[in-house]
Amino acid sequence: MNNLPSHVAIIMDGNGRWAERRGLPRLAGHLAGVNRISSVVTSLLTNQVKYVTLYGFSSENWNRPEEEVKGLFQLLEERIDREAAEMHNHNIQIKHLGRINGLPSTVQNSIQRACQLTQNNSGPVLNFAFNYGGRHEIVDTARKLIEQNIPADRIDEQVFAANLYTAGIPDVDLVIRTGGELRISNFLLWQAAYAEYYFTDVLWPDFTPRQVELALAEFGKRKRRFGGL
Ligand code: FPP
């Protein structure tokens, strides 16, 4: 396939509805969602995608019932070591995007273990956005620039981008959102400025490698002009 994206970012929405339709608790949907990650990432990497960013927990997800938030954290802690070992075997680098300090210390440790295990890998990069908000990221970047005493007239788009959570990672080419909603939900506001968007009604636990192929085929048809003619 020609015209493949280099960086794909995914808003994995619809776990709750997937569970509700089966008469299951919402957390069963999140478990099915976690189980879906590996096949989708594998299928993207098979298609030469070099950077994958997954939205695992947003800065707004704290507004969910405490039980659901705790359940998500528990799921992460239970699964991350196994998933990270698998990624490590495939030479994948795991990076975290977001405010790690705002998470419970056990969750912070789990994420840090995964990042450290894979930090010297030279293969594809998997960004895991957890406690992430696009506006938080922009605010944190502004703070970082001020802390470094960078004069205002030295700040341009390159300098700004080099201080984002995603420093060194190219802009997003394709954003996929499952679950039928048509919005960006504070995800990668800076990096997705010129991204193509693919929205599907398919719920995240049902988003199979076949669905990945459909999204990539659609991307292949888009004419990207980056604001030019
Ligand atoms: C939403 O579906 C998705 C999330 C809250 C984020 C994605 C989370 C996962 C794939 C599982 C958690 C990941 C880890 C590694 C712990 P929703 O609850 O918004 O679904 P709904 O719109 O149908 O209610």
Side-chain angles (χ1 to χ4, degrees), residues 12-17 26 30 34 55-56 64 72 76 128:
M12 307 178 288
D13 199 9
N15 296 341
R17 279 164 287 161
R26 290 177 60 82
H30 293 313
V34 172
Y55 209 177
R64 294 192 175 205
L72 277 165
L76 174 99
F128 187 50

Side-chain angles (χ1 to χ4, degrees), residues 84-159:
E86 186 65 27
M87 307 262 173
H88 188 48
N89 286 337
H90 290 89
N91 196 27
I92 295 170
Q93 253 184 88
I94 301 175
K95 291 180 187 265
H96 172 258
L97 308 183
R99 289 187 176 171
I100 196 159
N101 293 338
L103 291 163
S105 58
T106 49
V107 177
Q108 291 188 33
N109 293 339
S110 301
I111 294 173
Q112 270 157 357
R113 264 200 315 277
C115 295
Q116 274 159 16
L117 173 72
T118 61
Q119 67 185 350
N120 296 319
N121 290 344
S122 56
V125 175
L126 178 77
N127 294 311
F128 187 50
F130 206 83
N131 200 23
Y132 174 88
R135 289 183 173 181
H136 277 176
E137 178 174 27
I138 291 170
V139 168
D140 288 351
T141 302
R143 287 180 179 166
K144 226 166 141 187
L145 295 171
I146 291 166
E147 278 164 12
Q148 294 172 66
N149 292 317
I150 301 183
D153 61 3
R154 295 270 306 280
I155 297 173
D156 58 15
E157 291 186 15
Q158 278 71 34
V159 170

Side-chain angles (χ1 to χ4, degrees), residues 43-59:
S43 139
L44 288 168
L45 302 187
T46 308
N47 281 287
Q48 321 302 323
V49 173
K50 300 278 183 303
Y51 303 88
V52 178
T53 302
L54 301 176
Y55 209 177
F57 190 82
S58 77
S59 45

Side-chain angles (χ1 to χ4, degrees), residues 33-82:
V34 172
N35 287 337
R36 176 50 67 198
I37 290 174
S38 157
S39 63
V40 169
V41 170
T42 304
S43 139
L44 288 168
L45 302 187
T46 308
N47 281 287
Q48 321 302 323
V49 173
K50 300 278 183 303
Y51 303 88
V52 178
T53 302
L54 301 176
Y55 209 177
F57 190 82
S58 77
S59 45
E60 288 70 36
N61 285 153
W62 290 103
N63 299 326
R64 294 192 175 205
E66 195 185 332
E67 193 191 341
E68 184 173 348
V69 172
K70 272 194 183 157
L72 277 165
F73 291 166
Q74 200 183 334
L75 200 50
L76 174 99
E77 287 180 45
E78 280 168 15
R79 291 294 292 272
I80 200 163
D81 289 322
R82 199 204 314 170

